[in-house]
């Protein structure tokens, strides 16, 4: 049989009911504690004190009529019932009742009294319809007993003992529980209103609607939870926008080369060309667009691999200047074709800790960009130096530069500042995104300063190995 799960509201109400029941039980037990431990104990102590004080005055002579009269007079003014007899057998005449359905004096009690010790008697008396507490004290000296005093008092019931306190307790308890009820009711309303909003909000998120937000009405844990929900919704909304933009960019990037490939393939199939040279030209264009698509897909796979949390680098100490020189060997042909002069000022003592192949990929991408967007017959300066605990690599080109409005978007996927030249340069808009991810994996950073029409300064910062 499946057990029905309680809602949070029902759990809190159940907790309230249990708390009230426990408070009532505690109050009941506490009153009984006061009754038994304080009231009855005080009665016993008073009885013993009065009995010992009375017995102390009659330790000589005999129990004559004058002494009995004085004791009877004490009985009148005392709150206790006092019985004085010459012999124990006479007690039955003055107290012909049984305590707890047993005789007043047992053999053990009689022996204790004859030894000069008092005897406490406590229990229920049927005729009184209540409990009594009493004590029997022997009268006399060490040589002989002249009589016995029995002092007893019927115990008041709990309502009688607390007849003044119980109404106050009831009124105070009623006010307390009313206050507790309305307080808990307001508390539940305050808690569950944002929780219900979050429940409805989570359903909207499940349907793909990330535009709604939970209203924040407090700064407590519920308010913090609502704030966390809103941040989550904002992040999901941003992720959704990024995904849409990413898919749109991929579709756009693939549409153009596929259009070229499809169009020129159809020309070749239809044999709409006039010479072998034109045929070769069409084939080269198809090949170029194919390579471009391959580069795009490879860059996407590379970027996704770098963003994977489980991706790990193979790090080792690397001489930074040698890494830069190894990377620049790949660009000798490009530099000669565009007649770009390369000026270097490298610090040979800088050592960083990183993945050699990934860092080489960083320098390949940034130098490739610097060459592509530099003017012909211009210059590129590359320098490395130490700044505190970081090694800085500065790459300065004197080319078209980057508009100020585009600087904060550098490193985004598929983002190009010079869209008109993208097909000429062959870029996919992913190069600097890859650089950015690799720098983050090396605890470094990439900064760009640029002025449109004058060039770009790219700074790469790496932690130095001491």
């Amino acid at each position: 049989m499946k057990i029905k799960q309680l809602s949070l509201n029902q759990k809190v109400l159940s907790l309230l009911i249990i708390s009230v029941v426990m408070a009532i039980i505690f109050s009941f037990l506490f009153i009984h504690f006061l009754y038994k431990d304080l009231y009855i104990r005080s009665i016993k102590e008073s009885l013993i004190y009065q009995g010992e004080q009375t017995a102390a005055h009659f330790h000589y002579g005999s129990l004559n009529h004058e002494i009995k009269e004085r004791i009877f007079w004490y009985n009148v003014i005392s709150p206790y019932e006092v019985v004085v007899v010459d012999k124990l057998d006479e007690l039955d005449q003055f107290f012909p009742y049984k305590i707890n359905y047993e005789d007043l004096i047992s053999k053990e009690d009689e022996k204790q009294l004859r030894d000069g010790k008092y005897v406490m008697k406590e229990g229920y008396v049927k005729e009184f319809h209540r409990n009594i507490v009493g004590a029997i004290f022997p009268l006399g000296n060490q040589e002989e007993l002249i009589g016995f005093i029995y002092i007893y008092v019927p115990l008041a019931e709990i309502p009688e003992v607390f007849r003044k306190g119980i109404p106050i307790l009831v009124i105070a308890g009623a006010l307390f529980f009313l206050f507790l009820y309305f307080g808990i009711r307001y508390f539940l309303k305050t808690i569950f209103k944002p929780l219900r909003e979050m429940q409805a909000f989570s359903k909207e998120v499940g349907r793909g609607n990330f535009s709604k937000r939970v209203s924040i009405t407090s700064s407590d844990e519920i308010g913090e939870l609502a704030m966390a929900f809103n941040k989550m919704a904002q992040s999901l909304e941003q992720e959704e926008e990024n995904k849409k933009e990413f898919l749109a960019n991929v579709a756009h990037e693939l549409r153009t080369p596929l259009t070229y490939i499809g169009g020129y393939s159809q020309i070749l199939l239809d044999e709409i060309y006039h010479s072998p040279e034109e045929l070769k030209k069409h084939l080269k264009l198809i090949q170029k667009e194919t390579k471009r698509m391959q580069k795009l897909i490879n860059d996407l796979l590379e970027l996704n691999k770098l963003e994977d949390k489980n991706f790990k680098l193979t790090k080792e100490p690397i001489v930074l200047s040698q890494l830069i020189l190894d990377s620049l060997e790949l660009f000798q042909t490009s530099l000669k074709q565009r007649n770009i002069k390369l000026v270097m000022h490298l610090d040979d003592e800088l050592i960083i800790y990183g993945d050699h192949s990934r860092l080489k990929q960083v320098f390949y991408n940034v130098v490739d960009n610097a060459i592509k967007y530099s003017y012909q017959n211009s210059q590129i300066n590359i320098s490395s130096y130490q700044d505190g605990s970081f090694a800085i690599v500065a790459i300065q080109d004197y080319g078209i530069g980057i508009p100020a409005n585009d600087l904060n978007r550098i490193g985004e996927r598929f983002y190009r500042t010079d869209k008109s030249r993208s097909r000429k340069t062959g870029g996919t808009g992913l190069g600097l995104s890859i650089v950015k991810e690799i720098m983050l994996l090396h605890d470094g950073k990439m900064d760009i300063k640029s002025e449109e029409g004058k060039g770009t300064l790219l700074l790469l910062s790496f932690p130095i190995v001491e």
Side-chain angles (χ1 to χ4, degrees):
M1 181 178 177
K2 188 176 179 180
I3 300 175
K4 184 179 179 181
Q5 295 292 330
L6 297 177
S7 65
L8 185 58
N9 191 12
Q10 292 171 331
K11 289 179 181 179
V12 175
L13 287 176
S14 301
L15 180 62
L16 173 61
I17 293 172
I18 293 172
S19 301
V20 171
V21 172
M22 293 299 293
I24 293 172
I25 294 173
F26 172 78
S27 300
F28 176 78
L29 295 176
F30 184 68
I31 289 174
H32 271 265
F33 165 76
L34 293 177
Y35 176 77
K36 290 186 176 181
D37 195 67
L38 299 181
Y39 170 67
I40 296 178
R41 187 175 65 182
S42 66
I43 292 294
K44 288 181 179 180
E45 291 175 351
S46 180
L47 278 174
I48 294 171
Y49 176 78
Q50 294 296 337
E52 289 178 344
Q53 289 295 317
T54 303
H57 289 84
F58 307 104
H59 58 275
Y60 58 87
S62 61
L63 201 63
N64 55 37
H65 180 73
E66 182 182 354
I67 293 174
K68 290 182 179 181
E69 285 292 331
R70 290 169 59 186
I71 293 176
F72 289 147
W73 173 248
Y74 176 75
N75 189 20
V76 173
I77 64 174
S78 170
Y80 309 111
E81 295 293 331
V82 182
V83 177
V84 57
V85 295
D86 296 316
K87 299 179 181 180
L88 283 176
D89 297 339
E90 298 176 359
L91 272 178
D92 293 335
Q93 300 175 11
F94 296 95
F95 191 84
Y97 314 113
K98 291 187 176 183
I99 299 178
N100 287 338
Y101 304 98
E102 295 180 356
D103 294 333
L104 179 64
I105 303 296
S106 66
K107 291 183 180 181
E108 290 79 6
D109 296 337
E110 185 176 348
K111 182 178 181 302
Q112 188 172 339
L113 289 168
R114 296 193 183 282
D115 290 339
K117 301 177 182 178
Y118 69 86
V119 175
M120 290 295 302
K121 305 299 293 184
E122 179 182 0
Y124 179 75
V125 177
K126 181 180 179 182
E127 290 76 8
F128 293 165
H129 300 291
R130 64 181 60 198
N131 290 335
I132 70 165
V133 172
I136 304 172
F137 296 88
L139 299 176
N141 49 38
Q142 295 179 352
E143 297 178 357
E144 63 178 353
L145 293 174
I146 62 174
F148 300 91
I149 294 177
Y150 178 38
I151 303 177
Y152 70 92
V153 60
L155 296 176
E157 299 293 337
I158 291 180
E160 297 175 16
V161 176
F162 299 100
R163 64 179 179 272
K164 292 183 179 179
I166 286 180
I168 297 174
L169 183 64
V170 170
I171 294 173
L175 292 174
F176 169 74
F177 288 125
L178 282 174
F179 174 78
L180 185 65
Y181 170 75
F182 287 109
I184 292 294
R185 188 174 179 181
Y186 174 77
F187 175 72
L188 291 177
K189 184 178 179 182
T190 304
I191 286 181
F192 289 113
K193 183 179 178 181
L195 289 180
R196 291 190 187 98
E197 287 186 17
M198 291 179 202
Q199 184 181 22
F201 168 76
S202 61
K203 291 179 180 178
E204 290 294 323
V205 171
R207 298 188 187 102
N209 181 12
F210 306 113
S211 61
K212 291 189 176 181
R213 297 291 183 269
V214 180
S215 58
I216 301 174
T217 58
S218 63
S219 58
D220 56 7
E221 288 82 357
I222 299 297
E224 292 178 359
L225 180 61
M227 190 181 299
F229 262 73
N230 289 340
K231 288 183 179 178
M232 179 191 70
Q234 186 177 358
S235 298
L236 290 174
E237 187 176 21
Q238 185 63 44
E239 286 294 324
E240 185 69 14
E241 291 297 323
N242 292 340
K243 183 175 73 173
K244 291 179 180 178
E245 184 179 358
F246 173 75
L247 292 175
N249 287 330
V250 170
H252 174 73
E253 293 294 331
L254 292 177
R255 185 185 298 115
T256 302
L258 286 174
T259 301
Y260 274 91
I261 292 172
Y264 284 104
S265 297
Q266 189 63 44
I267 290 174
L268 296 178
L269 288 172
D270 296 339
E271 297 183 356
I272 307 174
Y273 53 87
H274 302 90
S275 64
E277 289 77 13
E278 188 176 353
L279 170 64
K280 189 174 181 180
K281 179 181 177 182
H282 294 337
L283 289 173
K284 284 184 177 180
L285 185 57
I286 292 173
Q287 184 184 42
K288 178 183 178 183
E289 295 301 325
T290 302
K291 288 181 179 180
R292 192 165 178 277
M293 281 197 303
Q294 288 176 343
K295 186 176 188 321
L296 172 64
I297 294 171
N298 290 335
D299 285 348
L300 281 173
L301 293 174
E302 184 73 16
L303 190 56
N304 287 332
K305 182 167 64 174
L306 292 171
E307 290 176 345
D308 188 353
K309 293 181 179 179
N310 296 321
F311 178 75
K312 292 183 180 180
L313 299 172
T314 304
K315 292 185 177 182
E316 59 182 346
I318 298 172
V319 178
L320 185 56
S321 60
Q322 187 60 50
L323 175 65
I324 296 171
L325 292 174
D326 292 342
S327 303
L328 292 176
E329 289 180 358
L330 303 172
F331 297 101
Q332 296 303 319
T333 303
S334 299
L335 291 169
K336 288 180 180 179
Q337 287 177 351
R338 305 199 64 199
N339 195 26
I340 296 174
K341 183 180 179 182
L342 190 62
V343 179
M344 291 183 290
H345 299 282
L346 304 178
D347 187 343
D348 295 332
E349 296 183 358
L350 294 179
I351 299 176
I352 61 174
Y353 193 67
D355 188 311
H356 188 276
S357 61
R358 295 297 172 184
L359 291 177
K360 198 169 182 180
Q361 190 176 2
V362 167
F363 288 111
Y364 176 86
N365 282 333
V366 295
V367 174
D368 184 53
N369 274 350
I371 295 173
K372 286 176 181 177
Y373 295 108
S374 291
Y375 296 126
Q376 288 192 3
N377 306 314
S378 63
Q379 178 176 305
I380 295 177
N381 297 329
I382 300 179
S383 60
S384 63
Y385 56 91
Q386 183 173 348
D387 184 6
S389 59
F390 285 87
I392 310 297
V393 178
I395 301 169
Q396 172 75 63
D397 69 64
Y398 300 92
I400 63 174
I402 302 172
N405 295 334
D406 294 331
L407 279 174
N408 59 343
R409 298 197 61 185
I410 296 299
E412 292 183 14
R413 292 186 178 191
F414 298 109
Y415 188 75
R416 299 189 189 91
T417 60
D418 186 14
K419 301 174 180 59
S420 64
R421 291 187 51 177
S422 61
R423 303 209 53 78
K424 181 180 178 181
T425 58
T428 61
L430 296 174
L432 289 182
S433 298
I434 293 173
V435 170
K436 187 177 179 181
E437 291 299 326
I438 295 176
M439 292 300 296
L440 288 175
L441 291 172
H442 284 83
D443 300 320
K445 63 178 180 176
M446 177 183 71
D447 295 310
I448 296 179
K449 300 176 183 180
S450 183
E451 187 175 351
E452 193 172 5
K454 293 185 178 181
T456 300
L457 172 62
L458 187 140
L459 300 171
L460 300 175
S461 304
F462 302 92
I464 292 178
V465 175
E466 295 294 338

